[in-house]
Amino acid sequence: MKQIYRLESFTFYETDNIAAHLSQMAEEGWALSSVGRYFWKYTAIAPEKRTYGITFFPDVSAFDTEPSEAQEDFIAYCEEAGWNYVTQWQQMQIFYTTKEHPIPLETDETLRLETTHRAMRKNYLPAMAALFVILLIQLFQCVSNLQKNLPRYLTDFTQWFLLLLFFVLGIYALADCLAYLRWRKKSLAAVEAGGCCLPVGKGMRIVKKLYFWLVIFLFWGVFLSMSAQGFDKVFMWVLLMFLVFSVLVSLTSYLMRKKKASRNIHRGVLIALACILPIITTAVSFQYLMNEKESTEGEETYTATLSDGTTYTTILEKDTLPLTTADLTEVPEDAIYSTSCEKESSFLAKRIDCDQSTPGGSPEAPEFSYEVLEVSYDFLIEPCIRSYQKPFLPKYADSESWEPISISGTDRAWQFHGGDGARPYYLAQKGNRLVYIHFYWQAQQDQLEKAMNILFAQTL
């Protein structure tokens, strides 16, 4: 028998819209057979006119593996009235009839509103509230990380997509709860005035569909931005772990239902899985990412022999740098360097992050690293300066400072001072550009000025 699966976008309490939709599907030759975790399953039938009725049985639990005696009595009572039982969606009970003028499943609007609210309080509202709190924590962490390393975040689309994703999901969870409470308040007033519960407007479904595609767009944005940074494997691995987690939970729940386990056992097993599986998947992911060996084919490498006779091979990056140590000082002829230059840009800023260092065990040679940031808007300059000048460690904040210095060709410049005096960390600003540089030797004034002149003149 032909079957199809559909991703429906109904809110849990819009029973009238669900009933109307199912009636329309029956007229098109598709009858609802079950409601799954993500999709609704329909079975092909001869097109017929059906009237669907929906009610709530609040004592039902998502962990029930078979109908309780009270639920079976309730279903039998409805079937005696001419309603055929179809399936359930948590506490929602779905029936249909082919009678032209069926007896309503519920005639007491006050009771209908109360059972709906009991069902919402049992599953839907707590789930939305928990989702909102989790997303609020994620938003707080994103904002906190943004404040700690603002220059990097300004040019990192991944972080902005994640920030927007958490924000959109959080707004949806909050708005969904508020929309229900508003509907209930208005329905209470209508029922008290002798009327019926108010229908949920079609605008809710439209908003849900727009929200769904917005979330898909943001996830796609996260994937593309992570791919551009070389982290596409990490994204796919996390997605795979999520799918494995979902499949294992669904399979376990299916087996519990097949074995007709009690509600408490079913709940306990799934809670245990929810606690254990994230730990296992995290450990597996960590081992996979840590043990994945980089291919050295076609790469320049350097192999160092340690004191115990073992060897260690390092891949030497050979990115072109706008400024090298050879531009500032003498470099030994036998110097072996790895040079990396990461470039990122967004509508807020452009940034390059460069490093010239020697691999472990190689001959000593001058090393340094630097970062050049060019912001699109002047109001971002001061926050970025504060971010660069944040304490290396909060507990040493009282003994650390950035003291103003003079560097030719810059608007402002600072040097970092720690507990033991001045250190070779420098920050300079000229117009809408900032240069942060760390020398691994004590740079002279002429070297510092030459470095700044080259970097401020560099096109990003």
Side-chain angles (χ1 to χ4, degrees), residues 156-176:
D156 189 348
F157 270 114
T158 300
Q159 300 302 327
W160 289 108
F161 274 116
L162 284 174
L163 190 64
L164 283 173
L165 179 62
F166 294 143
F167 178 77
V168 167
L169 290 173
I171 289 296
Y172 170 76
L174 179 62
D176 209 30

Side-chain angles (χ1 to χ4, degrees), residues 289-300:
L289 295 173
M290 290 297 293
N291 294 332
E292 186 181 25
K293 295 183 178 179
E294 292 184 278
S295 173
T296 59
E297 185 178 353
E299 301 283 357
E300 185 176 342

Side-chain angles (χ1 to χ4, degrees), residues 322-323 343 352 372 374 433 453-460:
L323 174 71
K343 298 181 180 181
I352 61 171
V372 183
E374 186 175 286
R433 182 173 291 194
N453 288 336
I454 292 174
L455 294 178
F456 276 114
Q458 175 68 27
T459 300
L460 297 187

Side-chain angles (χ1 to χ4, degrees), residues 30 76 81 104 131 141 245 266 328 422 438:
W30 295 102
L131 177 62
Q141 289 179 339
F245 178 87
H266 190 186
L328 306 177
H438 174 209

Side-chain angles (χ1 to χ4, degrees), residues 74-188:
F74 175 75
I75 293 173
Y77 171 78
C78 292
E79 289 180 339
E80 286 178 5
W83 290 93
N84 301 300
Y85 179 70
V86 179
T87 187
Q88 70 179 49
W89 179 16
Q90 296 183 18
Q91 288 79 32
M92 181 187 291
Q93 309 296 303
I94 303 175
F95 297 84
Y96 83 91
T97 181
T98 55
K99 292 183 179 180
E100 290 190 9
H101 304 288
I103 300 172
L105 277 174
E106 290 181 315
T107 55
D108 188 335
E109 289 295 311
T110 302
L111 180 61
R112 175 190 172 190
L113 193 59
E114 179 59 30
T115 54
T116 301
H117 188 55
R118 285 178 60 194
M120 291 289 289
R121 284 189 307 178
K122 191 166 186 177
N123 287 97
Y124 198 80
L125 290 178
M128 288 292 104
L131 177 62
F132 178 73
V133 171
I134 292 171
L135 292 169
L136 198 62
I137 293 172
Q138 291 293 331
L139 273 173
F140 175 79
Q141 289 179 339
C142 282
V143 173
S144 177
N145 290 334
L146 187 148
Q147 291 176 335
K148 291 177 181 177
N149 199 348
L150 181 59
R152 181 174 293 274
Y153 273 64
L154 287 179
T155 57
D156 189 348
F157 270 114
T158 300
Q159 300 302 327
W160 289 108
F161 274 116
L162 284 174
L163 190 64
L164 283 173
L165 179 62
F166 294 143
F167 178 77
V168 167
L169 290 173
I171 289 296
Y172 170 76
L174 179 62
D176 209 30
C177 291
L178 293 177
Y180 166 72
L181 295 175
R182 181 172 177 268
W183 172 85
R184 183 171 184 270
K185 182 180 179 180
K186 288 190 172 184
S187 293
L188 274 173

Side-chain angles (χ1 to χ4, degrees), residues 314-356:
T314 304
I315 295 178
L316 300 179
E317 298 184 69
K318 291 300 178 181
D319 295 339
T320 301
L321 303 183
L323 174 71
T324 66
T325 56
D327 296 324
L328 306 177
T329 186
E330 292 185 6
V331 174
E333 292 183 0
D334 60 348
I336 298 173
Y337 280 117
S338 178
T339 56
S340 65
C341 184
E342 297 179 2
K343 298 181 180 181
E344 291 183 333
S345 64
S346 72
F347 64 97
L348 293 173
K350 298 177 182 178
R351 184 180 65 88
I352 61 171
D353 189 355
C354 302
D355 178 84
Q356 183 176 3

